[in-house]
Amino acid sequence: MFSPETIDFLWGIRFNNNREWFAEHKEQYQRALLAPMKELGAALQASMPDDLRLHISRIYRDMRMHPSTFYKDSLWMCFLGKSGPWLEQPSLCFEVRPEGYRYGFLHFCRPRDMEDFRRLISGRPDEFLKIVEKAERESGVRLYGDEYARPKPCPDPRLERFYRLKWLNGNKDCPPDDLLYSEALVDEVRRSFQAWLPLLRYLQRMG
């Protein structure tokens, strides 16, 4: 699984974001970062529904969007629907970066997605609140995200905190710790994914 060398590599790429450094440390990247991420994804996939696919990010940046930096200083994987870009749908995710790691639920929503989200939860508020309350209780993480400067009009006071959100985040943030370097990480991330899976299913109705 992951090791302190994983974090060392990520700090290294953050402060040495160039092709020469990466070429010298490519074997370290493959062994200490990419291989453990693939191993974690494979271990989790066995307990994921068949219609959710595993996606692992690339370390290489899109130079059209980031011409000054060649590489990302983090690596992530997620489980999401079979089709469509990951940014456009809810996912169960795990990410490791220099400061530590995070795992849980994520949906980077476009404005029109959040409009659909507000209509969905307003139409079925009791079902949504039951799902979220259970997910928050079992994962130990409160659903959050960036908020609008001006709150959206909300027809149901119980939904006000969700109407304020620009996107949806149910990730638990952790510093590098013993769990990250332990095989017990698989069970902990699996537990979190299972807690958030009903919300992912609920939000798939927006598609």
Side-chain angles (χ1 to χ4, degrees):
M1 300 301 291
F2 300 101
S3 69
E5 188 179 8
T6 305
I7 301 300
D8 290 343
F9 172 82
L10 290 168
W11 280 116
I13 199 69
R14 174 171 292 184
F15 292 111
N16 303 275
N17 204 302
N18 58 74
R19 291 191 175 99
E20 293 76 18
W21 189 91
F22 185 79
E24 293 176 1
H25 295 81
K26 188 171 183 179
E27 185 277 333
Q28 184 184 24
Y29 156 69
Q30 294 173 332
R31 172 175 45 80
L33 180 58
L34 182 59
M37 187 66 77
K38 289 181 176 179
E39 184 178 346
L40 176 62
L44 293 168
Q45 194 162 30
S47 60
M48 289 290 105
D50 291 339
D51 64 329
L52 296 185
R53 62 186 169 96
L54 171 64
H55 177 72
I56 297 177
S57 68
R58 289 163 46 88
I59 194 74
Y60 307 97
R61 287 196 182 278
D62 186 336
M63 298 309 296
R64 296 168 298 179
M65 300 176 63
H66 304 277
S68 61
T69 55
F70 297 98
Y71 308 100
K72 302 170 187 173
D73 57 9
S74 68
L75 196 72
W76 53 264
M77 64 91 177
C78 66
F79 288 91
L80 68 167
K82 289 292 186 182
S83 62
W86 75 271
L87 280 171
E88 297 178 6
Q89 54 185 307
S91 65
L92 306 171
C93 55
F94 175 91
E95 180 184 31
V96 62
R97 60 197 196 283
E99 295 83 1
Y101 62 107
R102 53 190 170 196
Y103 57 93
F105 171 83
L106 186 64
H107 190 10
F108 277 124
C109 305
R110 299 163 297 182
R112 67 175 180 268
D113 293 328
M114 290 309 291
E115 292 175 6
D116 292 341
F117 167 72
R118 289 189 290 272
R119 279 194 294 269
L120 179 63
I121 66 176
S122 295
R124 311 173 75 109
D126 293 331
E127 180 184 3
F128 171 73
L129 290 169
K130 182 178 179 180
I131 289 172
V132 170
E133 288 168 5
K134 186 173 185 291
E136 291 180 334
R137 181 175 65 253
E138 293 182 354
S139 68
V141 178
R142 185 177 171 87
L143 191 67
Y144 63 99
D146 292 342
E147 299 185 0
Y148 294 105
R150 295 182 179 181
K152 303 292 182 180
C154 180
D156 188 332
R158 298 175 299 168
L159 301 175
E160 284 182 356
R161 75 176 175 102
F162 306 106
Y163 264 62
R164 293 196 298 265
L165 300 179
K166 294 181 179 180
W167 52 285
L168 307 175
N169 193 338
N171 273 288
K172 181 175 182 179
D173 280 283
C174 306
D177 58 15
D178 291 341
L179 180 62
L180 178 62
Y181 309 138
S182 166
E183 292 183 0
L185 179 68
V186 175
D187 290 334
E188 172 59 22
V189 177
R190 181 186 293 116
R191 182 187 65 80
S192 175
F193 283 8
Q194 293 298 329
W196 289 109
L197 181 59
L199 179 60
L200 182 147
R201 292 301 197 201
Y202 180 89
L203 295 177
Q204 283 181 326
R205 300 174 189 172
M206 294 193 305

